[in-house]
Amino acid sequence: MKTSVTNTEKKAFIRWFLKRYDMKRRECVWILNYIVGHDDLLERIHFVEEAHFCPRAMVMSTTDSSGIPFRFYKGNIMTADAEKSFHDLRLNPNEDMYIQVNFPKLPPNSNYLAVLEDNPHIPKYLQSNFGDREVAEQLLDASIMNFQKETLLRQIDEAIDAGNKERFLELTNELNQLNA
């Protein structure tokens, strides 16, 4: 994940997000549109996971997610009042704001991944270490590779059964490239 995201990337993500998803609370749309229109404010916006650990944060959810509709966190205060959070955003533009957006993330979207930052406020006991992350990535890569091979082998068998020499040659070439 990134540690520095440009305003252009943030604007692109917010616009993409608002075009594709409906929010559980209409105030979330207003807040995101307000943020897009203010570059100085956008500099202090960080998209993270587990935003409730941050000193100043908002959690927003789309209608097709199971997340809470809206939460605002500041210090030890938590509220579902989006208007209070909007006023805090306007009155304190020089403070960092961490935003968590709950929406369907599978498969992960490149627009979202471009703005997702490491959350510096997650407690150490919850952070995965680099070794764990590397092992998980290797496991995922191996699983994807095995799935692709199994799919190609099945398709090769189907091409043989159908007597389709062109398709057989095409698929065996793909399998050879995958194995290389």
Side-chain angles (χ1 to χ4, degrees):
M1 283 183 258
K2 292 184 166 189
T3 54
S4 177
V5 180
T6 67
N7 279 4
T8 303
E9 290 170 314
K10 293 174 190 176
K11 285 180 182 182
F13 167 70
I14 293 171
R15 288 180 179 134
W16 169 86
F17 182 79
L18 289 174
K19 282 182 187 173
R20 282 162 185 77
Y21 295 99
D22 293 321
M23 304 302 294
K24 288 184 178 180
R25 298 273 305 270
R26 69 180 182 277
E27 295 93 338
C28 296
V29 175
W30 301 342
I31 290 168
L32 291 173
N33 278 319
Y34 179 78
I35 290 169
V36 165
H38 295 84
D39 282 346
D40 55 331
L41 180 60
L42 205 51
E43 287 285 334
R44 310 295 286 186
I45 299 295
H46 308 280
F47 290 95
V48 297
E49 296 292 337
E50 306 297 336
H52 59 278
F53 288 114
C54 300
R56 185 170 175 244
M58 289 185 211
V59 176
M60 306 174 178
S61 299
T62 61
T63 54
D64 51 357
S65 79
S66 60
I68 54 175
F70 180 84
R71 287 290 186 277
F72 174 66
Y73 301 89
K74 186 165 184 177
N76 294 328
I77 298 170
M78 177 193 72
T79 181
D81 188 340
E83 287 185 30
K84 284 184 182 178
S85 67
F86 177 71
H87 291 300
D88 186 81
L89 192 63
R90 284 187 325 114
L91 295 173
N92 301 295
N94 295 325
E95 292 181 25
D96 286 336
M97 173 67 77
Y98 296 87
I99 298 177
Q100 174 182 330
V101 285
N102 297 322
F103 67 104
K105 296 178 183 126
L106 291 175
N109 181 278
S110 60
N111 290 304
Y112 176 62
L113 295 177
V115 298
L116 186 62
E117 298 181 50
D118 288 325
N119 185 338
H121 301 284
I122 291 181
K124 294 284 185 211
Y125 70 90
L126 292 177
Q127 293 178 359
S128 63
N129 67 36
F130 180 75
D132 291 344
R133 185 176 293 162
E134 194 171 292
V135 168
E137 286 175 8
Q138 289 172 353
L139 181 62
L140 181 61
D141 289 344
S143 296
I144 290 170
M145 178 76 81
N146 285 336
F147 176 77
Q148 289 173 330
K149 284 181 182 180
E150 288 174 15
T151 301
L152 282 172
L153 289 171
R154 184 178 40 76
Q155 291 173 335
I156 288 170
D157 288 343
E158 291 170 2
I160 291 171
D161 292 344
N164 187 340
K165 185 177 179 181
E166 277 184 38
R167 182 79 174 136
F168 170 78
L169 292 173
E170 176 185 320
L171 291 168
T172 54
N173 186 35
E174 283 183 43
L175 182 61
N176 289 337
Q177 288 176 357
L178 193 60
N179 286 329

